[in-house]
């Protein structure tokens, strides 16, 4: 059945760090709400952002990822107003002006218009379409968000998830966390965003002290994995490069190209392994590396075997298979070479991987490197979970986990080529200052980095990053902007209600 989003009365249940500052923030939000609407809020809906600790660019390959909920979040203070109108305001009124809708009009969303309230509408519409109703009640709402926009920490997912919590409580709906995450993932399509569900699952189902092992195939599933204890404790420092990649400009040579390369790679690998004509592969649209791997091992009897060890064995075998399949083209394939390997015309191959939805611009397609990253990164995710669950007191957890994060960054930089000089610089600075593991998080080509750090070294590492990176590259940053760009966080609570 699943559990509903919890209701909490103490912020100690929500935040591991800086609870006093968060208490003051909630108080300011309630006071501002009363100033605007003339009454106190009934409750505050809260949904956090997320950081992917390890497992980059493998969700669309069908492989699991390992995110955690973070302290930065979206808060929505709410009061049912007994009318047919929904009035929403934002703490940042200059950037996000207040909006007022009839409940019937919230279902109208123009995805071509970049409007902050569209994300609110996404959460509202997605929820009601799921339950087959359109008779929503009116309420007043005030939003405060601290997840940096454009940094790869899922600010939009936090907003949509918080909206759904607010809407369902006002309307007497009580869906489970899994249902809410699934609805939220689908709802972002109303603003033209295709989401696999990782962001929403991490935001809604996060737990203090735990990350989530999220699987996508054969079904969306989240398993909490408690991070091991150490003395002193470790936390994660998030450092934003403040480099923003214009996705509309770079997608054909960056993100879209990687999606297409892995999809074509899956087609060729399936043929190499002799499973291309199996129903599971023929029916998959798109075919992914995960489907190919599962089909190749489908006749293997793994009853009674350790699940994690099965993952490790299968992924290790696929690493070797990818070298055999693509090793003859170490510098990449042309379109004609890929089509010939599949006995297809180039246009038919483009259609098979839905290049109309993921337009690309490339002369060479580096299938070997992309496959090597996908399988090795999935292997690192599984090993990360294995270490966390090992209970081996002889193990230096920080070093073991940090090594995996460092290897992930090397792979992102060298095999998947989704890093950038600023990411590389932040990772190098943090490692020299004492980080156990440093890597990019999110799509890359800019955005944020994540660093595994002993809690007693947080301030010294932040000092190095400020003096050696931010002060030199962004000397005019305000204190508030710097706080948004560089902060420490521990695995946090997922979406909840505060009353």
């Amino acid at each position: 059945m699943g559990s509903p989003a919890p209701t909490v009365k103490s912020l100690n249940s929500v935040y591991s760090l800086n609870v006093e500052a968060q208490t003051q923030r909630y108080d300011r939000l309630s006071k501002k709400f009363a100033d605007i609407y003339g009454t106190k809020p009934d409750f505050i809906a809260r949904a956090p952002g997320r950081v992917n600790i390890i497992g980059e660019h493998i969700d669309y390959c069908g492989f699991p990822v390992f995110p955690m909920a973070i302290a930065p979040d979206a808060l929505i203070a709410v009061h049912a107003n007994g009318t047919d109108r929904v009035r929403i305001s934002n703490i940042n009124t200059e950037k996000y002006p207040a909006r007022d809708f009839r409940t019937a009009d919230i279902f109208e969303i123009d995805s071509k218009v970049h409007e902050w309230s569209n994300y609110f509408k996404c959460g509202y519409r997605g929820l009601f379409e799921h339950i087959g109703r359109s008779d929503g009640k009116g309420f007043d709402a005030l939003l405060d968000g601290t997840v940096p926009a454009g940094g790869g920490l899922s600010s939009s997912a936090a907003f949509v998830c918080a909206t759904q919590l607010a809407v369902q409580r006002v309307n007497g709906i009580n869906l489970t966390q899994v249902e809410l995450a699934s609805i939220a993932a689908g709802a972002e399509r109303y603003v033209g965003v295709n989401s696999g569900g990782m962001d929403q699952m991490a935001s809604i189902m996060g737990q203090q002290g735990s990350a989530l092992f999220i699987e996508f195939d054969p079904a969306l599933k989240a398993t909490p994995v408690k991070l091991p204890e150490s003395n002193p404790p470790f936390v994660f420092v998030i450092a934003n490069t403040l480099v923003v990649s214009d996705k509309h400009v770079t997608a054909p040579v960056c993100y879209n190209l990687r999606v297409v390369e892995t999809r074509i790679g899956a087609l060729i690998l399936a043929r190499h392994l002799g499973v291309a004509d199996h129903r599971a592969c023929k029916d998959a649209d798109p075919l992914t590396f995960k489907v190919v791997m599962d089909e190749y091992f489908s006749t293997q009897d793994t009853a009674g075997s350790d699940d994690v060890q099965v993952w490790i064995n299968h992924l290790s075998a696929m690493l070797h298979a990818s070298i055999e399949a693509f090793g003859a083209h170490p510098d990449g394939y042309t379109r004609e070479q890929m089509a010939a390997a599949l006995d297809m015309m180039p246009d038919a191959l483009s259609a098979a991987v839905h290049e109309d939805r993921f337009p690309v611009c490339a002369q060479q397609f580096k299938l070997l490197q992309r496959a090597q990253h996908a399988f090795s990164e999935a292997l690192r995710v599984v090993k990360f979970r294995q270490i966390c669950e090992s209970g081996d007191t002889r193990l230096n957890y920080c070093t073991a986990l940090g090594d995996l994060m460092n290897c992930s960054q090397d792979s992102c930089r060298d095999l998947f080529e989704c890093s950038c000089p600023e990411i590389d610089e932040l990772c190098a600075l943090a490692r020299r200052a004492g980080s156990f593991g440093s890597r990019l998080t999110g799509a890359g080509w800019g955005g944020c980095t994540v660093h595994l750090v002993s809690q007693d070294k947080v301030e010294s590492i932040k000092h190095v990053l400020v003096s050696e990176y931010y002060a030199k590259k962004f000397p005019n940053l305000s204190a508030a902007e710097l706080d948004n760009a560089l902060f420490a966080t521990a695995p946090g609570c997922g979406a909840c209600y505060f009353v």
Side-chain angles (χ1 to χ4, degrees):
M1 290 291 291
S3 301
T7 298
V8 302
K9 296 185 177 181
S10 169
L11 294 183
N12 289 304
S13 303
V14 179
Y15 303 99
S16 302
L17 306 171
N18 305 316
V19 177
E20 183 177 346
Q22 293 290 354
T23 300
Q24 295 171 359
R25 176 178 166 230
Y26 277 63
D27 289 343
R28 288 194 301 271
L29 180 65
S30 295
K31 184 178 184 301
K32 183 68 173 180
F33 187 96
D35 291 343
I36 296 173
Y37 298 115
T39 186
K40 293 181 179 180
D42 300 330
F43 63 89
I44 294 175
R46 184 254 180 191
R50 66 97 186 101
V51 63
N52 195 23
I53 300 173
I54 195 165
E56 228 57 73
H57 284 282
I58 58 173
D59 52 345
Y60 54 79
C61 298
F63 291 125
V65 293
F66 205 82
M68 71 178 195
I70 58 177
D73 52 22
L75 304 180
I76 304 181
V78 178
H79 172 71
N81 60 29
T83 73
D84 69 342
R85 305 203 70 85
V86 173
R87 302 185 294 176
I88 59 172
S89 301
N90 195 298
I91 287 288
N92 187 348
T93 54
E94 290 186 8
K95 189 173 182 179
Y96 306 110
R99 300 296 185 216
D100 186 334
F101 308 102
R102 290 175 57 247
T103 53
D105 296 335
I106 292 183
F107 293 85
E108 300 173 8
I109 303 173
D110 186 349
S111 63
K112 299 182 182 65
V113 177
H114 190 62
E115 159 63 40
W116 78 277
S117 63
N118 278 351
Y119 289 94
F120 178 90
K121 289 181 174 182
C122 279
Y124 193 106
R125 177 176 171 179
L127 190 74
F128 273 94
E129 287 193 347
H130 176 77
I131 62 175
R133 285 171 46 187
S134 58
D135 57 342
K137 297 178 181 178
F139 60 92
D140 300 324
L142 175 62
L143 172 74
D144 178 24
T146 57
V147 186
L153 301 178
S154 301
S155 57
S156 61
F159 186 9
V160 172
C161 290
T163 298
Q164 287 192 174
L165 261 67
V167 172
Q168 76 157 0
R169 193 173 182 107
V170 167
N171 287 276
I173 303 164
N174 196 27
L175 299 176
T176 67
Q177 292 172 311
V178 173
E179 287 175 311
L180 288 169
S182 179
I183 297 166
E188 288 199 53
R189 71 181 184 274
Y190 300 131
V191 287
V193 176
N194 291 313
S195 175
M198 172 181 71
D199 301 345
Q200 295 77 13
M201 290 287 270
S203 181
I204 288 180
M205 300 188 68
Q207 295 183 12
Q208 272 194 331
S210 295
L212 293 175
F213 183 80
I214 297 181
E215 300 170 77
F216 303 94
D217 182 85
L220 189 61
K221 176 185 176 184
T223 303
V225 178
K226 186 172 178 59
L227 296 183
E229 296 180 358
S230 64
N231 187 18
F234 65 81
V235 297
F236 295 90
V237 169
I238 311 300
N240 194 333
T241 63
L242 300 178
V243 172
V244 179
S245 176
D246 187 338
K247 295 177 183 178
H248 294 290
V249 175
T250 64
V253 294
C254 293
Y255 184 85
N256 287 4
L257 179 57
R258 300 303 183 274
V259 172
V260 168
E261 286 173 320
T262 61
R263 288 182 175 180
I264 295 175
L267 290 169
I268 294 177
L269 184 61
R271 191 178 179 94
H272 171 78
L273 294 174
V275 296
D277 291 330
H278 291 201
R279 178 167 295 280
C281 292
K282 292 176 70 174
D283 290 349
D285 186 19
L287 183 63
T288 65
F289 283 135
K290 172 66 161 50
V291 173
V292 174
M293 183 181 79
D294 287 350
E295 188 57 24
Y296 182 70
F297 290 107
S298 61
T299 59
Q300 185 181 78
D301 183 8
T302 58
S305 302
D306 176 71
D307 288 345
V308 173
Q309 194 57 51
V310 170
W311 270 105
I312 291 173
N313 293 342
H314 289 183
L315 289 165
S316 298
M318 288 297 102
L319 272 170
H320 293 295
S322 64
I323 295 174
E324 295 173 354
F326 309 118
H329 297 270
D331 298 321
Y333 290 72
T334 63
R335 284 185 179 274
E336 291 72 23
Q337 287 172 329
M338 293 187 301
L342 293 164
D343 292 331
M344 300 173 71
M345 296 298 293
D347 288 347
L349 177 58
S350 294
V353 295
H354 301 293
E355 207 173 316
D356 56 330
R357 280 185 263 164
F358 294 92
V360 303
C361 179
Q363 299 300 314
Q364 295 289 119
F365 295 75
K366 297 184 178 181
L367 305 190
L368 172 63
Q369 292 86 344
R370 308 317 182 219
Q372 287 281 285
H373 170 77
F375 290 118
S376 66
E377 185 76 346
L379 189 57
R380 284 185 285 272
V381 171
V382 173
K383 287 183 176 180
F384 204 99
R385 175 182 177 178
Q386 184 184 48
I387 291 170
C388 289
E389 295 179 332
S390 70
D392 187 350
T393 56
R394 299 167 300 173
L395 195 63
N396 186 322
Y397 290 113
C398 291
T399 299
L401 297 176
D403 286 348
L404 289 172
M405 292 175 66
N406 289 332
C407 288
S408 172
Q409 173 59 23
D410 292 346
S411 182
C412 286
R413 182 191 63 228
D414 300 333
L415 295 177
F416 220 71
E417 297 178 283
C418 59
S419 190
C420 68
E422 293 82 1
I423 288 173
D424 297 338
E425 182 177 354
L426 278 174
C427 289
L429 286 169
R431 289 172 190 168
R432 287 200 296 270
S435 167
F436 293 104
S438 299
R439 60 179 297 277
L440 65 84
T441 186
W445 299 290
C448 283
T449 57
V450 57
H451 312 270
L452 178 63
V453 173
S454 176
Q455 193 166 358
D456 61 349
K457 289 190 176 181
V458 167
E459 293 308 317
S460 62
I461 290 175
K462 286 173 63 178
H463 175 76
V464 169
L465 298 184
V466 169
S467 61
E468 296 298 319
Y469 182 84
Y470 295 103
K472 293 180 179 179
K473 294 184 181 294
F474 304 97
N476 298 320
L477 281 182
S478 68
E481 288 171 330
L482 186 58
D483 286 343
N484 281 334
L486 179 64
F487 58 91
T489 185
C493 171
C496 63
Y497 299 103
F498 177 73
V499 295

